[in-house]
Amino acid sequence: MRGFALTVLLLVFLDELAVMAAFGAWGWHTDGGLRWLLVVLAPVAAMLVWFFFASPKARYGGRLARPVVKVIVFGLGSAALWSIGAHGWALALLLGSLVVNALAQTPPVLRVLRELEAQEERRSSL
C-alpha cells in the first residue's frame, strides 16, 4: 500500500505542475504585448494562491478553504486550456485532477502522508 500511496502523491504533484503549465499556456496564447508577461505572471499568481491557501502548510488554508481553492485553481486551469482551444487537454486536466485528488483522500494515502509529515517534524526538531 505504501507504493500505491507514494505513487498517488507523485501524481498529485504532477497534477499541480500541469495546472501551472495550463496557466502558462493560456498566457502564451494571449495576443498583444502582454504575452511574455502573462506567461510568467499567470502561473506565478496561481502558485501564490496555492501556496497561501491550498498547500499542505498553507498559512490561510483550512478544512474549508483548502478544497475550495483547489477546485477554483483546477477549474480555472481547465477553463484556461478550454479558452485556447485545447478542449481535450482541458477535460483531461479536469478529470485527472478529480481522480488523483479523490485518490489522495483514501485512508492508505492519508496514513502515509501523516507518516511523512511526522518524519519531517522529527528531522526539523533535531
Side-chain angles (χ1 to χ4, degrees), residues 8-9 12 66 70 99-110 113:
V8 169
L9 292 173
V12 167
R66 185 171 287 119
K70 285 183 177 188
V99 169
V100 167
N101 282 288
L103 288 173
Q105 299 306 310
T106 60
V109 176
L110 292 174
L113 192 56

Side-chain angles (χ1 to χ4, degrees), residues 46-115:
M47 284 180 221
L48 287 172
V49 168
W50 194 268
F51 176 77
F52 285 113
F53 296 99
S55 69
K57 295 181 181 181
R59 177 176 286 160
Y60 304 108
R63 296 182 65 108
L64 179 63
R66 185 171 287 119
V68 168
V69 170
K70 285 183 177 188
V71 167
I72 291 169
V73 170
F74 283 114
L76 288 175
S78 297
L81 288 175
W82 190 274
S83 75
I84 63 173
H87 300 148
W89 286 109
L91 291 174
L93 178 63
L94 188 61
L95 293 175
S97 298
L98 286 171
V99 169
V100 167
N101 282 288
L103 288 173
Q105 299 306 310
T106 60
V109 176
L110 292 174
R111 188 171 31 254
V112 169
L113 192 56
R114 281 192 301 273
E115 290 171 8

Side-chain angles (χ1 to χ4, degrees), residues 17-70:
L17 292 178
V19 77
M20 299 307 153
F23 286 112
W26 173 81
W28 180 256
H29 284 84
T30 303
D31 292 333
L34 295 177
R35 171 184 280 187
W36 288 103
L37 189 61
L38 289 175
V39 164
V40 174
L41 287 183
V44 167
M47 284 180 221
L48 287 172
V49 168
W50 194 268
F51 176 77
F52 285 113
F53 296 99
S55 69
K57 295 181 181 181
R59 177 176 286 160
Y60 304 108
R63 296 182 65 108
L64 179 63
R66 185 171 287 119
V68 168
V69 170
K70 285 183 177 188

